[in-house]
Amino acid sequence: MLSNIIFQIPGVSVPGTEFLYFIAALAISSVIHEAGHALAAKLHRMQIESVGISFFICLPMAFVVILDEPQENASHGEHEMKRLSNNRPMIFRQLEIVSAGLMNNAVLCLLTVLIAFYLNPLHLLYGTGYGGLMVTQVHPVC
């Protein structure tokens, strides 16, 4: 089973020209993932200390730093949301914040697959073995 695994190493098993696409996809997916954490934290009235993007070697990584205590300054509409959120134990609120990033990853994956099938519908018929069309004969016009 492990003999079927191919590691995708830019410049080695993937052409180096596609490295920028890899970096862009990684940056977009990590920003969307962290946005899920930040939005869920805001819905639960948690304080967000900082949001940003950092680089490890040359790989982009997004991050959100969330404080454990809820925000105290809230408007009238926000008080209702805070009251509903505070009725739940803290562990459930933290679990929702943590799982929001995974939910965003799942939605991004589903959208990517749907777009890929929309752009190449023959993939549904031929599976992953479909390598394109082959011209077998050309008829002269004149």
Side-chain angles (χ1 to χ4, degrees):
M1 183 70 177
L2 290 177
S3 63
N4 295 335
I5 295 175
I6 300 173
F7 293 101
Q8 301 296 316
I9 303 169
V12 179
S13 61
V14 178
T17 56
E18 296 182 7
F19 185 66
L20 290 178
Y21 295 119
F22 174 76
I23 295 296
L26 186 61
I28 291 169
S29 64
S30 65
V31 165
I32 289 173
H33 174 91
E34 294 301 327
H37 295 307
L39 290 174
K42 276 301 190 187
L43 285 175
H44 286 291
R45 306 298 307 141
M46 303 299 286
Q47 291 182 355
I48 296 177
E49 184 178 343
S50 63
V51 177
I53 296 177
S54 63
F55 289 89
F56 176 71
I57 303 175
C58 62
L59 302 176
M61 298 184 307
F63 65 90
V64 176
V65 178
I66 302 169
L67 300 177
D68 285 340
E69 60 270 1
Q71 291 179 350
E72 295 302 326
N73 52 352
S75 67
H76 176 67
E78 293 173 337
H79 280 296
E80 181 64 19
M81 182 63 191
K82 183 177 177 183
R83 184 186 65 77
L84 294 174
S85 177
N86 284 340
N87 288 338
R88 309 181 77 187
M90 184 64 165
I91 188 72
F92 289 122
R93 288 186 273 162
Q94 289 173 340
L95 184 61
E96 288 176 1
I97 293 169
V98 169
S99 63
L102 298 174
M103 190 261 328
N104 276 7
N105 285 358
V107 170
L108 179 63
C109 178
L110 178 66
L111 286 175
T112 304
V113 168
L114 290 175
I115 290 170
F117 284 150
Y118 176 75
L119 294 176
N120 186 9
L122 293 177
H123 184 74
L124 292 172
L125 299 175
Y126 297 105
T128 58
Y130 177 67
L133 301 174
M134 182 173 74
V135 177
T136 59
Q137 188 176 11
V138 177
H139 296 287
V141 178
C142 301

